Amino acid sequence: MRSRSILAPQWWDFTTLDRELLDDAARVTPEDLLGFSREGFEVRMYDTLEDFYLAEALEYITAWKQATADNPCGICGPIGPTEQLPLVARLVNELEIDLKHAHFWGMDEWVVDGKEVPFEFPLGFAKADHDLLFDRIKPELRMPTENIHFPKVDAAEYIASWDQARCLVMQGGQGDAKHWAFNDPFPRTGDYVDAPPTPEEYRQLGTRVVDLHPVTVMQNARTSGGGVVTEVPLSAVTVGPKETWKSECVSIWQAGAHDNPFGQRLTALMIAKKIPDSAVPMSLLADHPNVRFNYFRGGLGTCTVQMH
Protein backbone atom coordinates (compact mmCIF):
# COMPACT_ATOMS: atom_id res chain seq x y z
CA MET A 1 0.00 0.00 0.00
CA ARG A 2 1.23 3.50 -0.85
CA SER A 3 1.63 6.01 1.94
CA ARG A 4 -1.10 8.59 2.46
CA SER A 5 -0.10 12.17 1.71
CA ILE A 6 0.92 14.21 4.72
CA LEU A 7 0.03 17.41 2.83
CA ALA A 8 -3.44 16.62 1.45
CA PRO A 9 -4.64 13.14 2.51
CA GLN A 10 -7.32 12.96 -0.18
CA TRP A 11 -4.77 13.53 -2.93
CA TRP A 12 -1.64 11.95 -4.37
CA ASP A 13 1.64 13.84 -4.21
CA PHE A 14 5.36 13.37 -3.67
CA THR A 15 4.95 12.55 0.03
CA THR A 16 3.42 9.21 -1.00
CA LEU A 17 6.71 8.05 -2.54
CA ASP A 18 9.05 5.57 -0.92
CA ARG A 19 10.92 7.22 1.96
CA GLU A 20 14.29 6.00 0.71
CA LEU A 21 13.84 7.89 -2.58
CA LEU A 22 12.83 11.05 -0.73
CA ASP A 23 15.87 10.80 1.54
CA ASP A 24 18.13 10.29 -1.49
CA ALA A 25 16.75 13.45 -3.08
CA ALA A 26 17.45 15.50 0.05
CA ARG A 27 21.13 14.52 -0.16
CA VAL A 28 21.61 15.68 -3.77
CA THR A 29 24.25 18.40 -4.18
CA PRO A 30 24.52 20.95 -7.00
CA GLU A 31 27.42 18.93 -8.36
CA ASP A 32 25.25 15.80 -8.28
CA LEU A 33 22.64 17.66 -10.34
CA LEU A 34 25.15 18.45 -13.06
CA GLY A 35 26.12 14.79 -13.06
CA PHE A 36 22.52 13.77 -13.74
CA SER A 37 22.81 14.80 -17.41
CA ARG A 38 22.31 11.86 -19.75
CA GLU A 39 21.11 11.34 -23.31
CA GLY A 40 17.73 13.03 -23.50
CA PHE A 41 18.18 14.95 -20.23
CA GLU A 42 20.50 17.92 -19.80
CA VAL A 43 21.13 19.90 -16.60
CA ARG A 44 22.37 23.49 -16.94
CA MET A 45 23.50 25.76 -14.13
CA TYR A 46 23.60 29.59 -14.10
CA ASP A 47 25.57 31.63 -11.58
CA THR A 48 23.60 34.89 -11.85
CA LEU A 49 19.92 35.70 -12.25
CA GLU A 50 20.79 38.04 -15.11
CA ASP A 51 22.34 35.18 -17.07
CA PHE A 52 19.51 32.83 -16.06
CA TYR A 53 16.64 35.01 -17.29
CA LEU A 54 18.51 36.18 -20.39
CA ALA A 55 19.10 32.54 -21.37
CA GLU A 56 15.41 31.83 -20.81
CA ALA A 57 14.42 34.82 -22.97
CA LEU A 58 16.79 33.72 -25.73
CA GLU A 59 14.87 30.46 -26.09
CA TYR A 60 11.98 32.57 -27.42
CA ILE A 61 14.26 34.43 -29.80
CA THR A 62 15.97 31.27 -31.08
CA ALA A 63 12.60 29.63 -31.73
CA TRP A 64 10.91 32.64 -33.31
CA LYS A 65 13.85 33.43 -35.62
CA GLN A 66 13.35 30.02 -37.26
CA ALA A 67 9.75 30.76 -38.23
CA THR A 68 9.07 31.21 -41.95
CA ALA A 69 6.04 30.89 -44.19
CA ASP A 70 7.11 27.32 -44.99
CA ASN A 71 8.15 26.56 -41.43
CA PRO A 72 5.69 28.11 -38.95
CA CYS A 73 7.00 27.40 -35.48
CA GLY A 74 7.24 28.80 -32.01
CA ILE A 75 7.35 28.27 -28.29
CA CYS A 76 4.96 27.31 -25.49
CA GLY A 77 5.56 29.50 -22.48
CA PRO A 78 4.68 29.63 -18.80
CA ILE A 79 3.49 32.37 -16.49
CA GLY A 80 5.78 31.17 -13.71
CA PRO A 81 8.47 32.41 -14.07
CA THR A 82 7.64 35.71 -15.81
CA GLU A 83 10.87 37.68 -15.43
CA GLN A 84 12.02 36.64 -18.90
CA LEU A 85 8.97 38.07 -20.70
CA PRO A 86 9.93 41.79 -20.79
CA LEU A 87 13.41 40.73 -21.88
CA VAL A 88 11.90 38.84 -24.82
CA ALA A 89 10.00 41.97 -25.91
CA ARG A 90 13.14 44.11 -25.67
CA LEU A 91 15.18 41.63 -27.70
CA VAL A 92 12.51 41.39 -30.41
CA ASN A 93 12.38 45.19 -30.66
CA GLU A 94 16.13 45.76 -30.61
CA LEU A 95 16.88 42.98 -33.09
CA GLU A 96 13.85 43.91 -35.22
CA ILE A 97 12.58 40.33 -35.45
CA ASP A 98 9.47 40.08 -37.60
CA LEU A 99 7.10 37.63 -35.89
CA LYS A 100 4.50 37.26 -38.65
CA HIS A 101 5.20 33.53 -39.01
CA ALA A 102 5.98 32.85 -35.34
CA HIS A 103 3.63 31.12 -32.91
CA PHE A 104 3.08 31.15 -29.17
CA TRP A 105 1.13 28.72 -27.02
CA GLY A 106 0.05 29.67 -23.52
CA MET A 107 0.20 26.75 -21.10
CA ASP A 108 -2.94 27.24 -19.08
CA GLU A 109 -5.71 29.53 -17.83
CA TRP A 110 -7.94 29.72 -14.78
CA VAL A 111 -11.48 28.34 -14.90
CA VAL A 112 -14.35 29.74 -12.81
CA ASP A 113 -17.96 28.51 -12.97
CA GLY A 114 -17.10 26.21 -15.85
CA LYS A 115 -15.63 28.94 -18.09
CA GLU A 116 -12.14 30.24 -18.64
CA VAL A 117 -11.75 33.58 -16.87
CA PRO A 118 -12.16 36.77 -18.93
CA PHE A 119 -9.09 38.61 -20.17
CA GLU A 120 -9.45 41.27 -17.44
CA PHE A 121 -9.13 38.74 -14.59
CA PRO A 122 -6.30 40.09 -12.38
CA LEU A 123 -4.55 36.71 -12.05
CA GLY A 124 -5.21 35.81 -15.69
CA PHE A 125 -2.39 34.23 -17.65
CA ALA A 126 -3.37 35.61 -21.06
CA LYS A 127 -3.48 39.08 -19.49
CA ALA A 128 -0.02 38.60 -17.97
CA ASP A 129 1.47 37.46 -21.29
CA HIS A 130 0.06 40.51 -23.05
CA ASP A 131 1.02 42.96 -20.29
CA LEU A 132 4.57 41.65 -19.93
CA LEU A 133 5.36 40.58 -23.49
CA PHE A 134 3.08 41.06 -26.47
CA ASP A 135 1.91 44.63 -25.75
CA ARG A 136 5.57 45.69 -25.36
CA ILE A 137 6.55 44.58 -28.86
CA LYS A 138 6.50 47.21 -31.63
CA PRO A 139 3.22 46.93 -33.56
CA GLU A 140 4.99 46.36 -36.87
CA LEU A 141 6.86 43.34 -35.43
CA ARG A 142 4.03 41.62 -33.52
CA MET A 143 2.82 38.16 -34.45
CA PRO A 144 -0.73 37.89 -35.80
CA THR A 145 -3.41 37.38 -33.18
CA GLU A 146 -4.35 34.06 -34.77
CA ASN A 147 -0.82 32.78 -34.03
CA ILE A 148 -1.24 33.30 -30.27
CA HIS A 149 -2.95 30.26 -28.78
CA PHE A 150 -4.42 30.13 -25.28
CA PRO A 151 -6.32 27.09 -23.99
CA LYS A 152 -10.05 27.33 -23.38
CA VAL A 153 -12.59 25.04 -21.76
CA ASP A 154 -13.67 24.12 -25.29
CA ALA A 155 -10.14 23.10 -26.18
CA ALA A 156 -10.67 21.82 -29.75
CA GLU A 157 -9.19 24.88 -31.48
CA TYR A 158 -6.21 24.99 -29.12
CA ILE A 159 -5.50 21.27 -29.57
CA ALA A 160 -5.69 21.61 -33.36
CA SER A 161 -3.16 24.46 -33.30
CA TRP A 162 -0.47 22.01 -32.18
CA ASP A 163 -0.63 20.41 -35.62
CA GLN A 164 -0.58 23.74 -37.50
CA ALA A 165 2.93 24.77 -36.42
CA ARG A 166 5.96 23.16 -34.79
CA CYS A 167 6.50 23.79 -31.11
CA LEU A 168 10.28 23.90 -30.85
CA VAL A 169 10.38 24.44 -27.09
CA MET A 170 7.92 24.11 -24.25
CA GLN A 171 9.17 26.19 -21.35
CA GLY A 172 7.96 25.70 -17.83
CA GLY A 173 8.57 26.23 -14.18
CA GLN A 174 8.08 23.68 -11.42
CA GLY A 175 5.42 24.07 -8.78
CA ASP A 176 5.39 22.83 -5.20
CA ALA A 177 3.20 19.94 -6.39
CA LYS A 178 5.93 19.05 -8.93
CA HIS A 179 3.76 19.94 -11.91
CA TRP A 180 4.48 21.51 -15.27
CA ALA A 181 1.65 23.72 -16.46
CA PHE A 182 -1.24 22.53 -14.23
CA ASN A 183 -0.57 18.83 -14.69
CA ASP A 184 -1.10 18.17 -11.00
CA PRO A 185 -1.27 14.87 -9.10
CA PHE A 186 -4.71 13.25 -9.02
CA PRO A 187 -7.15 13.12 -6.09
CA ARG A 188 -7.59 9.73 -4.39
CA THR A 189 -11.00 8.96 -5.88
CA GLY A 190 -12.59 6.42 -8.19
CA ASP A 191 -10.05 4.12 -9.79
CA TYR A 192 -7.22 5.95 -8.03
CA VAL A 193 -8.05 5.43 -4.37
CA ASP A 194 -5.25 2.92 -3.80
CA ALA A 195 -2.75 3.98 -6.46
CA PRO A 196 -2.26 7.01 -8.73
CA PRO A 197 -2.62 6.68 -12.52
CA THR A 198 0.15 4.77 -14.21
CA PRO A 199 2.63 6.88 -16.17
CA GLU A 200 1.14 5.43 -19.36
CA GLU A 201 -2.37 6.52 -18.36
CA TYR A 202 -1.25 10.01 -17.38
CA ARG A 203 0.65 10.54 -20.63
CA GLN A 204 -2.56 9.96 -22.61
CA LEU A 205 -4.10 13.13 -21.15
CA GLY A 206 -4.57 16.08 -23.48
CA THR A 207 -5.56 19.67 -22.86
CA ARG A 208 -8.37 19.57 -20.32
CA VAL A 209 -9.99 21.21 -17.30
CA VAL A 210 -8.44 20.09 -14.01
CA ASP A 211 -9.13 20.51 -10.31
CA LEU A 212 -6.04 21.91 -8.65
CA HIS A 213 -4.12 20.21 -5.86
CA PRO A 214 -4.46 22.18 -2.60
CA VAL A 215 -0.68 22.70 -2.61
CA THR A 216 -0.96 24.36 -6.03
CA VAL A 217 -3.72 26.68 -4.84
CA MET A 218 -1.61 27.73 -1.86
CA GLN A 219 1.46 28.26 -4.03
CA ASN A 220 -0.35 30.52 -6.49
CA ALA A 221 -1.71 32.56 -3.61
CA ARG A 222 1.84 32.90 -2.25
CA THR A 223 3.63 33.71 -5.51
CA SER A 224 1.00 35.82 -7.28
CA GLY A 225 -1.71 36.88 -4.87
CA GLY A 226 0.01 38.06 -1.70
CA GLY A 227 -1.20 34.94 0.10
CA VAL A 228 -4.91 35.65 -0.42
CA VAL A 229 -6.00 32.05 -1.03
CA THR A 230 -9.67 33.00 -1.46
CA GLU A 231 -8.82 34.86 -4.69
CA VAL A 232 -7.25 31.83 -6.38
CA PRO A 233 -9.57 29.70 -8.56
CA LEU A 234 -9.71 25.98 -7.78
CA SER A 235 -9.81 24.86 -11.44
CA ALA A 236 -7.90 25.57 -14.62
CA VAL A 237 -7.58 24.43 -18.22
CA THR A 238 -4.08 23.16 -18.93
CA VAL A 239 -1.95 21.88 -21.78
CA GLY A 240 -1.64 18.12 -21.49
CA PRO A 241 1.10 15.54 -21.82
CA LYS A 242 -0.18 14.76 -25.34
CA GLU A 243 0.72 18.27 -26.48
CA THR A 244 3.88 18.27 -24.39
CA TRP A 245 5.17 15.24 -26.29
CA LYS A 246 4.60 17.17 -29.56
CA SER A 247 7.12 19.76 -28.38
CA GLU A 248 10.62 19.05 -29.63
CA CYS A 249 12.18 20.12 -26.33
CA VAL A 250 10.87 20.65 -22.79
CA SER A 251 12.90 23.28 -20.95
CA ILE A 252 12.23 23.74 -17.22
CA TRP A 253 13.51 26.87 -15.43
CA GLN A 254 14.08 26.87 -11.67
CA ALA A 255 15.27 30.06 -10.00
CA GLY A 256 14.26 28.97 -6.50
CA ALA A 257 11.22 31.28 -6.34
CA HIS A 258 8.58 28.61 -6.96
CA ASP A 259 9.60 25.16 -5.78
CA ASN A 260 11.88 24.65 -2.76
CA PRO A 261 15.39 23.14 -2.53
CA PHE A 262 14.03 19.63 -1.96
CA GLY A 263 11.59 19.71 -4.85
CA GLN A 264 14.19 21.04 -7.27
CA ARG A 265 16.34 18.01 -6.47
CA LEU A 266 13.63 15.35 -6.38
CA THR A 267 12.36 15.72 -9.93
CA ALA A 268 15.85 15.89 -11.43
CA LEU A 269 16.78 12.69 -9.59
CA MET A 270 13.64 10.89 -10.80
CA ILE A 271 14.10 12.00 -14.42
CA ALA A 272 17.82 11.18 -14.42
CA LYS A 273 17.21 7.71 -12.97
CA LYS A 274 14.06 7.17 -15.08
CA ILE A 275 11.65 6.77 -12.16
CA PRO A 276 8.35 8.10 -13.54
CA ASP A 277 5.47 8.30 -11.06
CA SER A 278 2.30 10.31 -11.62
CA ALA A 279 2.26 11.41 -7.97
CA VAL A 280 5.20 13.54 -9.16
CA PRO A 281 3.96 14.61 -12.60
CA MET A 282 7.23 16.29 -13.58
CA SER A 283 8.95 12.90 -13.26
CA LEU A 284 6.98 11.65 -16.29
CA LEU A 285 9.33 13.75 -18.43
CA ALA A 286 11.82 10.93 -17.83
CA ASP A 287 10.31 9.41 -20.98
CA HIS A 288 10.44 12.55 -23.14
CA PRO A 289 13.33 12.44 -25.63
CA ASN A 290 14.65 15.97 -25.03
CA VAL A 291 14.40 17.63 -21.61
CA ARG A 292 16.48 20.42 -20.09
CA PHE A 293 16.53 21.51 -16.45
CA ASN A 294 17.93 25.01 -15.95
CA TYR A 295 18.92 26.08 -12.44
CA PHE A 296 19.99 29.33 -10.80
CA ARG A 297 22.73 28.11 -8.51
CA GLY A 298 21.85 30.68 -5.84
CA GLY A 299 18.28 29.41 -5.73
CA LEU A 300 19.14 25.78 -5.05
CA GLY A 301 19.62 26.25 -1.32
CA THR A 302 20.16 23.21 0.87
CA CYS A 303 17.96 20.58 2.49
CA THR A 304 19.54 21.05 5.91
CA VAL A 305 17.63 22.32 8.92
CA GLN A 306 17.70 26.09 9.26
CA MET A 307 15.53 27.60 11.99
CA HIS A 308 13.92 30.96 11.17
Side-chain angles (χ1 to χ4, degrees):
M1 290 289 292
R2 296 272 298 241
S3 300
R4 188 166 289 275
S5 168
I6 63 175
L7 300 175
Q10 301 308 312
W11 290 74
W12 294 102
D13 57 52
F14 68 95
T15 64
T16 69
L17 295 177
D18 183 79
R19 179 61 185 268
E20 184 177 353
L21 175 59
L22 299 176
D23 290 344
D24 285 345
R27 289 190 287 266
V28 169
T29 67
E31 290 68 32
D32 292 334
L33 285 172
L34 288 170
F36 285 164
S37 291
R38 56 164 174 79
E39 184 177 357
F41 180 51
E42 180 185 4
V43 176
R44 297 179 178 179
M45 201 77 67
Y46 298 87
D47 290 328
T48 68
L49 281 174
E50 291 84 357
D51 193 26
F52 178 91
Y53 287 121
L54 178 58
E56 187 174 9
L58 285 171
E59 285 192 341
Y60 284 74
I61 302 304
T62 300
W64 285 346
K65 284 183 68 176
Q66 297 179 57
T68 65
D70 296 330
N71 181 38
C73 59
I75 187 168
C76 179
I79 285 303
T82 58
E83 288 83 351
Q84 76 282 5
L85 297 179
L87 299 177
V88 175
R90 180 175 291 275
L91 288 166
V92 169
N93 290 337
E94 293 293 332
L95 298 174
E96 297 188 335
I97 300 172
D98 188 341
L99 300 180
K100 65 172 172 284
H101 300 301
H103 284 251
F104 173 83
W105 291 267
M107 299 189 85
D108 33 37
E109 189 56 276
W110 301 110
V111 170
V112 175
D113 295 331
K115 290 288 295 179
E116 64 275 0
V117 296
F119 183 83
E120 300 77 16
F121 188 71
L123 289 173
F125 298 148
K127 181 180 187 302
D129 275 314
H130 279 274
D131 289 348
L132 296 172
L133 172 56
F134 295 116
D135 292 351
R136 301 186 184 205
I137 295 173
K138 295 175 182 177
E140 64 270 22
L141 299 176
R142 292 176 185 169
M143 68 177 63
T145 301
E146 60 267 24
N147 290 8
I148 302 175
H149 314 286
F150 288 103
K152 296 182 178 180
V153 171
D154 181 355
E157 183 177 343
Y158 178 81
I159 291 170
S161 72
W162 283 84
D163 294 321
Q164 296 166 3
R166 293 165 58 214
C167 181
L168 301 182
V169 180
M170 176 182 284
Q171 277 193 357
Q174 176 170 300
D176 287 337
K178 321 305 173 222
H179 62 208
W180 83 99
F182 277 135
N183 291 294
D184 273 7
F186 272 37
R188 297 184 67 145
T189 58
D191 294 337
Y192 306 116
V193 171
D194 297 321
T198 66
E200 292 74 21
E201 288 177 299
Y202 201 106
R203 283 198 300 269
Q204 292 304 308
L205 299 171
T207 299
R208 66 213 184 278
V209 175
V210 297
D211 294 326
L212 300 177
H213 194 288
V215 167
T216 294
V217 176
M218 186 65 231
Q219 176 184 356
N220 279 272
R222 172 176 61 83
T223 58
S224 302
V228 185
V229 179
T230 51
E231 295 299 313
V232 179
L234 303 182
S235 299
V237 56
T238 191
V239 66
K242 274 189 177 180
E243 291 76 34
T244 301
W245 258 253
K246 291 183 178 182
S247 178
E248 297 180 13
C249 174
V250 179
S251 186
I252 304 299
W253 293 80
Q254 309 205 59
H258 291 89
D259 204 0
N260 53 49
F262 173 78
Q264 293 182 73
R265 288 160 167 80
L266 174 65
T267 53
L269 174 65
M270 295 180 73
I271 292 173
K273 304 300 182 185
K274 295 190 175 182
I275 311 173
D277 190 301
S278 72
V280 183
M282 187 72 79
S283 72
L284 303 185
L285 295 177
D287 295 323
H288 191 285
N290 187 9
V291 177
R292 289 198 294 263
F293 267 29
N294 304 272
Y295 291 98
F296 168 49
R297 190 182 294 272
L300 271 170
T302 68
C303 293
T304 58
V305 174
Q306 298 179 36
M307 304 300 290
H308 295 283

